[in-house]
Amino acid sequence: MRKRRVGILTGGGDCAGLNAVIRGITKSAIYEHGMEVVGFHDGFLGLIERRFTILTFDMVSGILTQGGTILGSDNKANPFEHVVYEGEEKRKFDISNQCVQLYNDMGLEALICAGGDGTMTIAGRLMEKGVRIVGLPKTIDKDLAETDITFGFDTARCIATEAIDRVHTTAQSHHRVMLIEVMGRNAGWLALEAGIAGGADIILIPEIPYDMEEIINTARRRGQFGRRFSIVAVAEGARPIGGAQAVQKVVEDSPDPIRLGGISHVIAAQVEEHTGIECRVAVLGHVQRGGTPTPLDRVLATQFAVKAMELVEAGQFNHMVALRGGEMVAVPVEKVMGRQQLVPHDSPLIKTALSVGTSMGIA
Ligand code: F6P
């Protein structure tokens, strides 16, 4: 008799904690549930191209602390719009039925998908075709709906905080305005939390369009009080009142093709022009996604993985594992699909920042 089996894939942009999740799934499947785990390579591309590996104990041993994903990821692959080049010509095919066929042929009890909103949306569509899905919330942006946290966020927050700490001293030495641009897409969680943790003087998030006057006045005011430097934590998705976000690149065929970046250079040029204070910019970029996961992310990823296997065992499919009020819960994938969790204007975190005199970019 064939062993009971689950499949796992890691989709979208990588982050710290993915390997911890792969290890958690594989070890608890083997130890706890007597099951075997099929790892698909490069997210949904592995399902499309039939590239997979049976994950053994040895393969996942020692990966808890490693960044990235041993399975690889892809943020463009989509079984419903699979891109094929015929010479110069690009054509898109819906090959989701073949993917469902493979899933059935392999006798998978469920397909565990670790990813963000793009991954959950594709997973949700496969679910409608009969694939039993279990989702795991991954992203440094913390913008997935229905969960208080996603794995990968804490590591990125630590990296961004350390970067802010490090530029503090150089800003002080040179009496400069230093702008640290962090990732997060349309959500400001990373900038807000790293900004508070690093004691930024100004925090700019996409949810609160900024007023240039306020940024300039804050930098000037600090100078008048003997603080001859300022630290600005800028979310890559920040934008001025009535203005647009800075687009760094458009990635065709990606579920969300816009890659943001560069707004801090625009702000720096304006601050310098109006205040005469020298400005410098550090764009952290993918540094925030790499390296060893923090203990919090390791624990969270392992808890999420164990809970996901419990859902498989209980036959509770088509749910994403989530952390709500300190408890591991399961939320229907439909509730997560196509949604983003942004920073609400009444967030206690915004109140906290304002209470300690941090400017949120508006008067
Ligand atoms: O969603 C994670 C994320 O790192 C965002 O913060 C960022 O905007 C985007 O992915 C970058 O994507 P890519 O890896 O395609 O450059």
Side-chain angles (χ1 to χ4, degrees):
M1 223 175 72
R2 194 158 68 183
K3 257 202 168 152
R4 294 173 63 203
R5 276 180 168 175
V6 285
I8 181 170
L9 59 81
T10 54
D14 74 341
C15 70
L18 280 166
N19 280 328
V21 148
I22 296 168
R23 167 187 176 272
I25 293 287
T26 308
K27 287 200 168 182
S28 66
I30 295 171
Y31 277 139
E32 192 93 344
H33 306 282
M35 292 175 87
E36 159 171 281
V37 180
V38 179
F40 289 93
H41 295 287
D42 304 331
F44 289 109
L45 201 56
L47 194 65
I48 294 167
E49 296 177 347
R50 299 175 168 247
R51 290 189 287 111
F52 51 84
T53 311
I54 305 286
L55 294 171
T56 63
F57 187 90
D58 277 352
M59 283 176 187
V60 300
S61 183
I63 67 169
L64 173 65
T65 58
Q66 286 171 21
T69 157
I70 58 162
L71 288 174
S73 192
D74 188 290
N75 60 5
K76 288 192 276 200
N78 181 350
F80 296 89
E81 289 182 26
H82 180 50
V83 176
V84 176
Y85 280 90
E86 286 171 1
E88 295 275 292
E89 205 192 329
K90 186 169 79 174
R91 295 185 59 195
K92 286 185 184 176
F93 296 93
D94 179 352
I95 53 160
S96 55
N97 286 341
Q98 284 103 299
C99 293
V100 177
Q101 189 66 49
L102 176 65
Y103 161 88
N104 285 327
D105 290 348
M106 293 183 79
L108 299 179
E109 281 188 30
L111 181 62
I112 299 173
C113 300
D117 55 347
T119 303
M120 292 308 151
T121 302
I122 294 172
R125 292 185 67 190
L126 286 173
M127 207 169 83
E128 285 157 13
K129 290 188 163 243
V131 177
R132 292 179 292 267
I133 297 289
V134 175
L136 288 168
K138 166 242 67 164
T139 168
I140 67 162
D141 306 337
K142 207 178 80 168
D143 61 351
L144 259 183
E146 302 290 327
T147 185
D148 295 345
I149 194 160
T150 52
F151 68 88
F153 175 75
D154 184 58
T155 306
R157 180 174 56 182
C158 280
I159 295 166
T161 303
E162 190 187 341
I164 294 174
D165 290 349
R166 285 177 185 272
V167 297
H168 240 110
T169 50
T170 171
Q172 228 161 351
S173 309
H174 290 272
H175 318 299
R176 287 173 172 162
V177 172
M178 297 280 320
L179 297 95
I180 315 301
E181 185 173 308
V182 305
M183 282 183 161
R185 283 203 300 172
N186 299 313
W189 298 109
L190 205 47
L192 182 55
E193 297 193 30
I196 293 173
D201 306 298
I202 304 171
I203 299 175
L204 306 177
I205 61 173
E207 294 85 348
I208 305 178
Y210 63 81
D211 175 2
M212 204 54 227
E213 277 292 307
E214 162 68 9
I215 300 172
I216 290 164
N217 289 341
T218 304
R220 275 207 193 109
R221 209 164 41 235
R222 282 177 53 78
Q224 285 156 10
F225 286 99
R227 297 267 182 265
R228 296 173 59 206
F229 71 97
S230 293
I231 303 291
V232 193
V234 187
E236 62 180 0
R239 63 188 163 94
I241 294 171
Q245 291 175 316
V247 175
Q248 192 214 348
K249 193 180 165 90
V250 176
V251 182
E252 271 188 58
D253 304 320
S254 174
D256 181 358
I258 303 297
R259 293 295 176 273
L260 298 165
I263 191 70
S264 45
H265 287 285
V266 177
I267 300 167
Q270 292 181 28
V271 173
E272 201 163 285
E273 190 191 325
H274 289 93
T275 63
I277 307 170
E278 257 198 305
C279 295
R280 291 290 187 274
V281 169
V283 179
L284 298 186
H286 293 81
V287 166
Q288 295 156 101
R289 295 220 312 238
T292 304
T294 58
L296 193 154
D297 270 335
R298 294 180 205 183
V299 173
L300 195 61
T302 308
Q303 280 182 297
F304 278 149
V306 168
K307 177 75 180 175
M309 284 310 299
E310 281 170 14
L311 294 189
V312 172
E313 194 62 87
Q316 195 178 351
F317 303 114
N318 304 341
H319 282 72
M320 182 188 82
V321 176
L323 189 78
R324 299 257 289 261
E327 232 185 284
M328 284 284 150
V329 296
V331 295
V333 171
E334 293 103 330
K335 284 189 152 190
V336 181
M337 287 167 73
R339 285 178 63 201
Q340 278 181 315
Q341 176 150 240
L342 304 180
V343 180
H345 282 202
D346 61 353
S347 164
L349 284 169
I350 294 178
K351 166 116 188 20
T352 301
L354 293 172
S355 298
V356 294
T358 306
S359 167
M360 292 299 301
I362 45 163

